[in-house]
Amino acid sequence: MTFLPFLFIVTSLVTFVAGQLFLKKAMEPTPSGGVHIRFGRLLGVGVFLMTISFFLTLGLLQRFDLSYLYPFQGLSVIIISLAAAIVLREKLTPQLILGAVLISVGVVLVSLT
């Protein structure tokens, strides 16, 4: 694989993770229980990033086998867990860490067959 396809794969993965984080942040309730002032902006950015990820993935599927691309998508479980802990201050429990590792190992094993 050359640098450019790898860059597109990483960009697709990063935009997917960032989109998830923005959507989660947009859905957080305010202390007063009202609509979040930045809701529309955060939602729009999240949808935009998820759209970029979607179309990048479609383009990559034209060029590569799904069995080749899917292990990279499997990394999103670990990256989202870590990013949620850092950006959203979510707690990483040992059970969550073990689950993310097992899912990632399973995706890698499936891709090897």
Side-chain angles (χ1 to χ4, degrees), residues 22-23 25-27 35-48:
F22 273 96
L23 292 176
K25 194 70 173 164
M27 297 300 140
V35 176
H36 204 287
I37 295 172
R38 300 177 316 194
F39 170 78
R41 209 171 339 164
L42 292 171
L43 183 70
V45 171
V47 169
F48 176 73

Side-chain angles (χ1 to χ4, degrees):
M1 175 190 328
T2 62
F3 177 73
L4 193 58
F6 179 74
L7 180 66
F8 285 139
I9 291 170
V10 170
T11 303
S12 174
L13 185 60
V14 168
T15 55
F16 176 76
V17 169
Q20 292 287 336
L21 293 174
F22 273 96
L23 292 176
K24 169 64 175 164
K25 194 70 173 164
M27 297 300 140
E28 288 180 349
T30 61
S32 63
V35 176
H36 204 287
I37 295 172
R38 300 177 316 194
F39 170 78
R41 209 171 339 164
L42 292 171
L43 183 70
V45 171
V47 169
F48 176 73
L49 290 171
M50 294 293 284
T51 303
I52 290 172
S53 174
F54 174 76
F55 284 112
L56 279 173
T57 301
L58 285 180
L60 289 166
L61 285 171
Q62 288 179 328
R63 187 161 182 187
F64 298 103
D65 291 336
L66 180 61
S67 61
Y68 180 76
L69 291 175
Y70 198 69
F72 290 102
Q73 294 298 323
L75 293 175
S76 68
V77 174
I78 291 176
I79 296 170
I80 285 176
S81 298
L82 292 174
I86 294 167
V87 176
L88 302 175
R89 307 220 189 290
E90 292 184 0
K91 185 178 179 184
L92 283 180
T93 64
Q95 187 176 7
L96 177 71
I97 293 169
L98 178 62
V101 168
L102 288 174
I103 289 169
S104 299
V105 168
V107 168
V108 170
L109 288 175
V110 167
S111 71
L112 294 176
T113 58

